[in-house]
Structure formats: structure tokens, C-alpha cells
Amino acid sequence: QVQLVESGGGSVQAGGSLRLSCVRSGDISSKYCMAWFRQPPGKEREGVAVLYTGDGSAHYVDSVKGRFTIFQDNAKNTLYLTMDSLKPEDTAMYYCAAYNYNRYMNCYIGGPFSNWGQGTQVIVSS
């Protein structure tokens, strides 16, 4: 089990940038599949980017490709999401999530994410 704490949300104008952080504590020795999800107001939660901590490989949904970057700092046990060229439709509560890679031997957006942070709000104004 891991505990996840997000930070870095805020309000920004369209075209601006933000960087979200997710600090992982607890089991920091195992390999994890980690991801950023978001839930816009009145809509369902969706995954936007996923990363395997073992090698840093990442995948993105089409709507954020070329604008968002997911990466990790192993020394700080921290996952990041850099968001550039933000659009009003990126407005959402953003969540960090994780599951133990060794248990399932896979890492993908639709995976069995069982550990979740409390979320951080991102608001993009036009």
C-alpha cells in the first residue's frame, strides 16, 4: 500500500502552464503503475497519463498528447504532471493513483488503480 498526496493545482489562463506533484509514501520499494486522472465538473473521471515506475515509460490519452508530460523523480518518490498550453476543457479535479505493478505485471490507464490521492483542483479560464 502507498499513500499519495497531490499538490500544485490552481487557476491559470488558457495557454498557461501548471505542474502537479504527487508524493508517494509507504511502500516505496516496489514497482508501481502510476497515473494521473481527472474529473471535470459534472463529468466522469478519466485517465490522462500513466507511467511505470520501473523504467519511466509513459503513455497519454490523445486529448493531452504533446501538451502534458508525466515523469518521476525517484529520489523524491514524486510523480509529476507538467501541463502546457492549457485549455478551459482541462478544468477538473486531478487525482494521482497507483497500483502495485508486481501484482499484475501490467501498467495501463484502465488498470486496477487501488491507491488514490485526495485530488488537486485545476481551473483554466478563457
Side-chain angles (χ1 to χ4, degrees), residues 54-125:
D55 61 10
S57 56
H59 299 278
Y60 304 87
V61 295
D62 288 346
S63 59
V64 306
K65 281 182 181 178
R67 299 189 301 121
F68 290 11
T69 303
I70 186 173
F71 64 99
Q72 62 179 346
D73 183 332
N74 289 331
K76 297 181 179 179
N77 298 313
T78 301
L79 181 75
Y80 298 96
L81 184 70
T82 297
M83 304 184 294
D84 297 318
S85 302
L86 282 163
K87 304 175 182 180
E89 52 263 43
D90 294 318
T91 294
M93 184 71 80
Y94 282 73
Y95 298 91
C96 176
Y99 67 89
N100 193 312
Y101 176 86
N102 291 335
R103 182 175 180 183
Y104 299 96
M105 301 305 289
N106 61 39
C107 184
Y108 64 111
I109 284 285
F113 289 94
S114 55
N115 301 278
W116 293 84
Q118 81 289 348
T120 185
Q121 182 73 51
V122 172
I123 299 172
V124 184
S125 57

Side-chain angles (χ1 to χ4, degrees), residues 38-46 88-93 95:
R38 66 185 180 186
Q39 187 165 18
K43 297 184 178 181
E44 293 187 355
R45 187 171 59 197
E46 63 174 352
E89 52 263 43
D90 294 318
T91 294
M93 184 71 80
Y95 298 91

